[in-house]
Amino acid sequence: MRLHSLALRDFRGVKERIVRFRALGTTVVVGDNEVGKSSLVEAFGLIFELPDDSKSTRIRDIQPVGQDVGPEVTAELSLGGRELTYSKRWLKNRSTELTIVEADGRRQSWTGREAHNEAERLFREHVDPVLWQTLMVSQGQSLVLPTPADAEPLITAVTAESGTPVDGASMPLVTAVEHEYLRYWTPRGKPTGDYARSAKAVAAAELAAAQALQAMEEVQSDIRRAERLNLDLSDVDTRLSDHLKSVEELRERKKATDEILLRRDSIRSRAETARARLENHTRTRLDRERLLDEVERFTKFEAELATKRADADLVAKTAAETVQAAEAALAEVVELKDLRRTDVQAAERRVSDLMDRAELDRLLGQQAELVDVRARIAAAGTILDRIKVDDAIVAALEDARAAVIEARAALAAGVPEVSVRRLGAEPVELSGTGLDGAVPSELGFDEAAEVLVSGELVIGVPGQLEVTVRAGGEAATLRSRVDDAVRREKDLLKKAGVKDVAAARELLRKADTATAELNEARRTEKSLTAGGDPGERIAVLTARLGPEDDAEEAGKPAVEGVPGQMSLFEEFASPHDTLFDDFDVPEPEPDDLAAAQQTLDSAREALAEAERLLSDAEFAVAQARKAADEDRSEAQNARARSELAGERLASAVEALEAARAVLDDDAVSAAETEATAEVEAVLEELTVVQEQADAAGADQVAGELTHALAVAKRLQGERDTLRDALRTTEGRLEQSGRDGLATRRDVADLELAAVRAEHDSLERRAQAARRVYETLSRHRAEAQTKYSEPLQTRIESLGRSVYGPSFKVWLDDDLAVAERELDGIRLRVDALSTGAQEQLAIITRLAISHLVSTGEGSVPVIFDDALGWSDKARLRDMGALLGRAGDHGQIIILTCMPDRYEYVPKATFTKLDA
C-alpha cells in the first residue's frame, strides 16, 4: 500500500486541507501544535473503519464544536496493484464514493454502503493489521518497540529470505495439533475440558468411596466405644457409692465441732474489744507526752529565733549602708565615662576631617587625569568619524581592482590589437567605438598608435583610403566586463572618499591606530570612574570641609579641659586608692593623619578603661544590692519564723491545758494499766479454747467436707457424661443399621472403578497430545530462530550506520528486540536510556519496512513526532538513516520540530499552516 494524498474538510480544527505524499521516499509534514498533523493519521483510519451512517462517539468528536457541518475525508492510494480514490462524509449530507483504476486501465466506481464494503474488503485483503499497527507510530508511542511475530507479510518475507519454511503446507497439521492439545490443556499447561472434568469426577468418586469406607469404620468404632462406655459407667457408679458414705461421716463430725468453734469466736470478739480499749488508752498517753514535749521544744525554739531576729536586723542595716556607698562610686565612674566618650568623639571628628582632605587631594588629581583622557577620546572619535573606510570596503576595493585587471587581461587576449603608423605626408585619422585607452583622432608624421579593438576602428586617409576593423562577437562581452569592473571600482572609491586602493589602506591603518587609542583611553576612563564621577565626590568633600582655615580650626580640640572634672573621683577615692591614676586630660593633637589616628586610639583605650571601671562598679553595686536584698529577706524570714514559733507555743500550751481538764496525767497512766490487765486475761481464756478445737480438729473438718462434696459432684458429672455418650453411641449404631452402609460402600467402589477407567483413557490421549504439541513447538522454535536471522541482520545493518560496527541485537520469540550490545556491553532494552530506546524502535520499524517493501503487503512507515530524545550527533545519523530507508519504501513523518529532520537527505518537506 502507498498513500498518495489525504484531503480533509471540516475535520476537528481543520477547515480544508490537502496533503500529498511521495510514493517512494521520505515526506516530512511540518506544523505547529494543534494544527492537525495527528488528524491525518486519525482520518485515514476512520475512512476505512466506520461507515458514513455510524453513530460512534468518535465521529461526533471529529465534528468542529458549534458547527453543523459534516467531516469529510478523501484518500488517494495504491492498494494491491490498483489506484483508489476513496471519499467519505459523515453526519451532514452523508456520502461514500470509491473509484478504482485497475492495472490495465479499467475503471470501476461504487457509492454508499457498497463503496464502504468494497474498500474495507480490499484493505483487509491487502493490508496486514499487525504490520499496519507496527509501522504506524502514534504520538507519544515512539518508545514502544514493535513485536511483529504475527505480521504475516514479515513472516513471509523472512521465510523467503532465510529459505526456511515456517508454516506453509504444515500449517493444517500445526492447527490440528494445537486444537487437539487445547482440548485437554490450557495454553499454560493446566488440564481443561473433558480431561479436567474427568479428573474432578475421579476425585469426587474417590472421596465418596473414602467416605463410605470411613462410615463403616466409624460403625466398628462405635461398637467398641459402647462396650468401653458400659465398663466405665459401672466403675463410676461403684466409686460414687463408696464416696457418699465418707461424706455422711464428715457431716456428723462437723456437727460435733461447731459448738467449740462458736465459743472460740465469742472469746475472740471479747479479746478484740479489750485490745481496742487498750490501744485507745495508749494513744491518749502518747498524745499527752507529745503535748508536753511540744511545749518544752517550742519554748526553747522561740528564744533561739528571737536572738537570730536581732542579728538579722543588724546585718540588713549594714548591707543598706554598703549599697549607698557603692551607688555613689558608680555615679563617679559614669561621669568619668561620659568625659572619655567626649574625647573619643572629638578625636574621631579630627581623623575624619584629615581623611576627607586626603581623599579630596586624590580626587583632584584623578579628575585632572580624567579630563586628559576624555580629550584623547574626543580626538580619536573625531578621526574615526572622518574615516569612511573599513575592512569590508578595503576588501571590496581590492576585489574590484583585481576584477578590473582580470577583465582587461581577458579583453587584451580576446580582441584584436591594431598598430597604426603614419609614414607619409598625408594625415591619418582614427575613429570608432569600443576602443581601449585614449586614441588620438589624427596621427602626426612618424607617429604610431596601438589600439585594442573591442568594437569598430576606422582608419582613414582623406580622399585616398578608409580601413574599418571590427572585433568578433565575444569582444562586446569582454568590453562590457571591463566597463562593469571599472565602474564598480570607481563607485567604491567614491563611496570610500579615496583616490585609489593604496589611499584606502592608509586610511584603514589610521583608523586602526585611532581605534586602539580610543579603546585604551576608554579603558582608562572606565578605571578612573569605576567608583563614580570624581567631580561629585569632590563637591561633597569641598562642601563638607569648607575653607582650609575652618578645617584647621575644626582639627583643634573643642574642649581643652574641664575644670573640676576629677573632683568627684578625688572625693570618692581614698588617699591610698590608685584606681583613676591612668586617666589624664589629653594633650592637643597634631594636624597630620597618623598623629590624629594615634590620638584617637589613645582616646578609645581610655574610654575602654572607663567602660571596664564602669562595668566593675556596676557589678559591685549589683552585688551589694543582691547582698542587701538577701540580708533584708533573711531578717524578714527570721521575724516571721519568730512570730510563728510564738503562735505554735501558745497553741501547744492551750491544747495541753484542754487535755488536762478532761483527764489529768496520773489518770491517763492508771487507765492504760487497767486495760492491759484485761487483755491478758481474755487471751489466756482464748488459749484454752483453741487447744480444745485443735484436739477435735474443728478447723479441718469443714475443708474436708467441702472437698468431699466437690469430689462427689465430679463423680456424678462423670457418670452423667458416660450415660449420655452411651445413649448417643447406641442411637448412632441403630441408625447405621437402618442406612445400609455396606451397600453404599459397594456402590461407591463400582462407580470409582468406572470413572477411573474413563479418566485413564482421557489421560493417555491428553499426554499423547501434549507430547506431540511440545515436540512440534520445539521444532517450530528452532525454525523461528532461523527465520528471525534476516530481521536481526537487517536491524544490525541499519543500526551500525548509527552506532558503529560493535552494534548487535538479540530477538525474542515475538521477533522483538530484547537486548542490545554496544562496545562489548550487553544490556536489556528496558535498561537503555530513553533516547536509545526510541532510536532502536525506529531502526526496528525501518528494518521491517525494508524487508516487506518489495511485497504486495507493504505499508507506509508513519512517525508522529519522533526523535524527541536524541542529541545532535544522533539526529544527524538517524536523519541519514531515514533518507536511505526512503529509497526502499514510503516514510511519512509528522512533526512540529523540523530541525530534528534537517539531516534527512532527499526529504520532501510539507508545511501545514494554521
Side-chain angles (χ1 to χ4, degrees):
M1 183 184 73
R2 291 290 183 266
L3 179 60
H4 302 301
S5 70
L6 266 178
L8 278 65
R9 179 180 293 126
D10 298 324
F11 193 98
R12 292 193 182 275
V14 179
K15 181 62 179 176
E16 185 171 1
R17 173 178 295 139
I18 182 169
V19 181
R20 302 190 181 279
F21 308 97
R22 294 174 57 182
L24 184 64
T26 303
T27 303
V28 181
V29 181
V30 181
D32 296 335
N33 291 330
E34 300 184 3
V35 79
K37 301 185 301 298
S38 300
S39 297
L40 297 173
V41 180
E42 182 182 13
F44 187 74
L46 289 176
I47 195 173
F48 284 97
E49 182 177 353
L50 299 178
D52 56 20
D53 58 352
S54 174
K55 305 300 182 183
S56 173
T57 56
R58 296 168 61 190
I59 299 300
R60 291 291 179 185
D61 290 342
I62 64 175
Q63 185 183 32
V65 178
Q67 300 182 31
D68 187 18
V69 295
E72 183 176 351
V73 178
T74 300
E76 295 181 0
L77 64 153
S78 300
L79 191 62
R82 304 175 179 89
E83 300 294 328
L84 278 69
T85 301
Y86 188 27
S87 299
K88 185 175 290 185
R89 183 167 58 246
W90 295 273
L91 300 178
K92 188 77 172 178
N93 299 325
R94 301 190 306 271
S95 67
T96 303
E97 298 178 0
L98 173 64
T99 301
I100 299 178
V101 179
E102 300 287 346
D104 56 4
R106 289 184 296 110
R107 179 183 297 270
Q108 294 178 284
S109 298
W110 290 267
T111 60
R113 175 63 70 150
E114 292 181 352
H116 173 80
N117 293 339
E118 181 64 16
E120 186 178 25
R121 182 188 68 79
L122 289 173
F123 192 82
R124 286 200 307 268
E125 180 180 348
H126 295 286
V127 176
D128 183 78
V130 176
L131 182 64
W132 171 247
Q133 293 298 326
T134 299
L135 298 186
M136 184 181 65
V137 183
S138 303
Q139 191 172 30
Q141 300 297 317
S142 61
L143 296 179
V144 179
L145 269 75
T147 55
D150 296 330
E152 187 64 29
L154 176 63
I155 300 303
T156 302
V158 298
T159 302
E161 187 164 334
S162 64
T164 303
V166 180
D167 293 330
S170 64
M171 194 61 194
L173 175 61
V174 173
T175 304
V177 169
E178 184 175 357
H179 177 72
E180 182 67 16
Y181 174 80
L182 293 178
R183 284 184 57 192
Y184 306 104
W185 307 95
T186 65
R188 296 194 176 187
K190 301 292 185 181
T192 187
D194 294 339
Y195 181 46
R197 287 190 293 273
S198 175
K200 292 180 180 178
V202 170
E206 290 176 346
L207 179 61
Q211 289 176 345
L213 179 61
Q214 184 179 3
M216 290 296 297
E217 292 176 351
E218 287 178 354
V219 169
Q220 298 296 330
S221 177
D222 286 342
I223 294 173
R224 292 191 297 272
R225 180 180 175 81
E227 294 174 352
R228 187 174 62 254
L229 287 174
N230 280 319
L231 294 175
D232 292 343
L233 182 61
S234 176
D235 180 65
V236 169
D237 284 338
T238 303
R239 286 190 291 127
L240 179 60
S241 299
D242 295 341
H243 185 70
L244 289 177
K245 293 178 182 179
S246 63
V247 169
E248 291 299 326
E249 293 176 356
L250 287 173
R251 283 182 176 147
E252 294 296 329
R253 285 182 58 197
K254 187 174 183 304
K255 290 179 181 179
T257 58
D258 285 344
E259 182 179 355
I260 298 174
L261 294 177
L262 288 174
R263 189 167 67 252
R264 186 185 66 180
D265 292 341
S266 175
I267 294 173
R268 281 180 176 175
S269 177
R270 287 167 48 202
E272 291 175 358
T273 302
R275 189 178 292 107
R277 188 180 299 110
L278 175 60
E279 289 177 354
N280 289 334
H281 288 300
T282 302
R283 189 180 303 108
T284 301
R285 177 181 61 79
L286 293 176
D287 289 342
R288 184 64 52 84
E289 292 176 353
R290 179 181 58 77
L291 290 174
L292 290 172
D293 181 66
E294 285 182 354
V295 170
E296 181 181 359
R297 182 163 52 84
F298 287 150
T299 302
K300 182 178 179 181
F301 187 54
E302 183 186 22
E304 293 176 355
L305 290 179
T307 302
K308 291 182 178 179
R309 175 179 176 180
D311 294 340
D313 290 340
L314 179 60
V315 171
K317 181 177 180 182
T318 304
E321 293 174 354
T322 303
V323 169
Q324 292 177 357
E327 289 177 347
L330 176 61
E332 292 289 341
V333 176
V334 169
E335 183 177 358
L336 175 62
K337 179 185 175 184
D338 293 340
L339 293 174
R340 293 296 178 258
R341 185 181 291 110
T342 301
D343 295 342
V344 169
Q345 291 173 352
E348 287 176 345
R349 284 195 299 272
R350 179 57 180 164
V351 170
S352 177
D353 290 343
L354 292 175
M355 290 178 68
D356 288 345
R357 187 157 299 282
E359 177 68 10
L360 178 60
D361 293 341
R362 186 186 66 79
L363 290 174
L364 288 173
Q366 182 176 334
Q367 187 180 37
E369 186 179 357
L370 184 60
V371 170
D372 179 63
V373 168
R374 286 175 175 168
R376 288 163 55 197
I377 291 173
T382 301
I383 293 173
L384 291 175
D385 291 340
R386 293 176 181 174
I387 296 175
K388 300 179 181 179
V389 177
D390 56 13
D391 291 335
I393 292 177
V394 171
L397 282 172
E398 291 175 346
D399 292 342
R401 180 74 265 178
V404 169
I405 295 172
E406 182 180 355
R408 285 179 174 170
L411 180 65
V415 300
E417 182 178 5
V418 178
S419 178
V420 181
R421 179 182 294 277
R422 179 179 172 184
L423 300 176
E426 296 297 330
V428 177
E429 296 178 353
L430 302 176
S431 63
T433 61
L435 304 178
D436 186 33
V439 179
S441 60
E442 185 176 343
L443 293 177
F445 179 76
D446 200 26
E447 184 179 358
E450 293 181 356
V451 182
L452 292 174
V453 181
S454 57
E456 182 180 83
L457 173 65
V458 179
I459 306 171
V461 178
Q464 297 182 13
L465 176 68
E466 183 178 89
V467 178
T468 301
V469 180
R470 294 186 181 90
E474 187 180 357
T477 302
L478 296 175
R479 167 54 64 182
S480 176
R481 290 180 182 174
V482 172
D483 293 341
D484 291 342
V486 171
R487 184 167 52 256
R488 173 170 174 75
E489 182 183 26
K490 289 180 179 180
D491 291 342
L492 290 173
L493 291 173
K494 183 178 179 181
K495 180 180 178 180
V498 295
K499 62 180 181 178
D500 53 20
V501 176
R505 292 196 188 99
E506 179 62 22
L507 284 180
L508 182 61
R509 185 190 61 77
K510 291 180 179 180
D512 292 340
T513 303
T515 300
E517 175 68 16
L518 178 62
N519 292 336
E520 195 279 331
R522 282 178 176 169
R523 286 194 297 271
T524 304
E525 180 188 26
K526 183 177 180 181
S527 175
L528 293 173
T529 58
D533 190 356
E536 298 177 359
R537 181 64 177 163
I538 289 171
V540 172
L541 292 176
T542 303
R544 184 192 300 169
L545 292 173
E548 188 173 357
D549 295 340
D550 295 344
E552 292 179 356
E553 290 295 331
K556 297 180 180 180
V559 180
E560 301 254 340
V562 181
Q565 62 181 353
M566 297 297 292
S567 59
L568 293 175
F569 295 97
E570 291 170 357
E571 291 177 4
F572 180 80
S574 66
H576 304 288
D577 194 356
T578 60
L579 183 61
F580 306 105
D581 290 349
D582 295 335
F583 290 89
D584 299 327
V585 177
E587 296 294 333
E589 300 174 354
D591 291 339
D592 59 289
L593 180 60
Q597 185 65 46
Q598 184 177 2
T599 301
L600 175 60
D601 294 341
S602 300
R604 285 175 176 168
E605 292 176 358
L607 176 59
E609 182 64 22
E611 290 176 346
R612 184 185 63 77
L613 292 175
L614 176 60
S615 177
D616 294 343
E618 289 175 344
F619 178 75
V621 170
Q623 291 296 106
R625 287 174 179 169
K626 180 178 179 182
D629 292 341
E630 292 175 353
D631 293 340
R632 188 183 307 108
S633 177
E634 183 64 27
Q636 292 174 354
N637 291 336
R639 189 180 300 110
R641 289 197 299 270
S642 178
E643 293 174 355
L644 179 61
E647 293 175 357
R648 294 176 68 181
L649 176 60
S651 177
V653 171
E654 182 179 357
L656 180 61
E657 291 177 353
R660 283 175 174 173
V662 175
L663 191 66
D664 60 14
D665 297 341
D666 295 337
V668 169
S669 300
E672 183 182 15
T673 301
E674 181 180 354
T676 301
E678 182 181 0
V679 168
E680 292 175 353
V682 173
L683 289 178
E684 289 178 359
E685 186 177 358
L686 179 62
T687 300
V688 174
V689 175
Q690 182 63 44
E691 291 176 354
Q692 295 176 358
D694 293 340
D699 293 328
Q700 289 79 20
V701 171
E704 291 176 358
L705 179 60
T706 301
H707 178 69
L709 290 173
V711 171
K713 184 177 180 180
R714 179 177 60 78
L715 290 174
Q716 289 174 351
E718 185 176 349
R719 182 190 61 185
D720 295 340
T721 300
L722 290 172
R723 285 177 179 175
D724 293 340
L726 181 60
R727 284 196 294 269
T728 301
T729 303
E730 290 174 347
R732 199 161 51 242
L733 288 172
E734 184 179 356
Q735 182 64 34
S736 298
R738 290 196 298 267
D739 290 343
L741 294 179
T743 303
R744 284 176 54 195
R745 186 186 66 179
D746 295 339
V747 172
D749 290 341
L750 291 174
E751 290 179 354
L752 176 60
V755 171
R756 275 180 175 170
E758 182 181 359
H759 177 69
D760 292 342
S761 175
L762 286 173
E763 185 174 18
R764 287 193 297 273
R765 291 197 296 271
Q767 293 298 335
R770 184 171 190 169
R771 284 194 295 272
V772 172
Y773 177 78
E774 290 176 349
T775 302
L776 185 59
S777 298
R778 184 173 64 256
H779 287 291
R780 290 190 72 201
E782 294 173 356
Q784 185 181 26
T785 301
K786 294 182 180 179
Y787 75 70
S788 66
E789 291 179 358
L791 178 59
Q792 179 177 350
T793 302
R794 195 62 51 88
I795 293 174
E796 291 178 347
S797 175
L798 296 177
R800 283 165 184 163
S801 65
V802 177
Y803 295 100
S806 64
F807 176 80
K808 294 181 181 178
V809 295
W810 282 263
L811 306 184
D812 59 15
D813 294 341
D814 294 328
L815 298 183
V817 178
E819 297 178 351
R820 186 207 72 178
E821 180 177 325
L822 189 62
D823 297 331
I825 299 175
R826 185 170 176 175
L827 296 173
R828 292 183 55 80
V829 170
D830 53 11
L832 300 176
S833 68
T834 304
Q837 291 185 36
E838 182 186 43
Q839 295 151 17
L840 192 55
I842 293 173
I843 292 171
T844 303
R845 289 183 171 91
L846 294 178
I848 295 171
S849 175
H850 197 180
L851 283 170
V852 303
S853 61
T854 58
E856 294 183 356
S858 63
V859 295
V861 184
I862 301 176
F863 296 111
D864 190 356
D865 200 15
L867 291 180
W869 287 276
S870 299
D871 55 37
K872 196 73 173 179
R874 289 287 166 79
L875 284 176
R876 184 181 295 107
D877 296 335
M878 291 299 294
L881 179 62
L882 288 170
R884 290 195 300 274
D887 297 337
H888 303 281
Q890 185 181 28
I891 298 177
I892 299 173
I893 299 173
L894 309 175
T895 183
C896 60
M897 301 291 290
D899 294 346
R900 298 177 186 169
Y901 305 95
E902 63 180 352
Y903 301 107
V904 180
K906 297 182 291 185
T908 300
F909 285 80
T910 300
K911 175 67 174 177
L912 300 184
D913 297 326

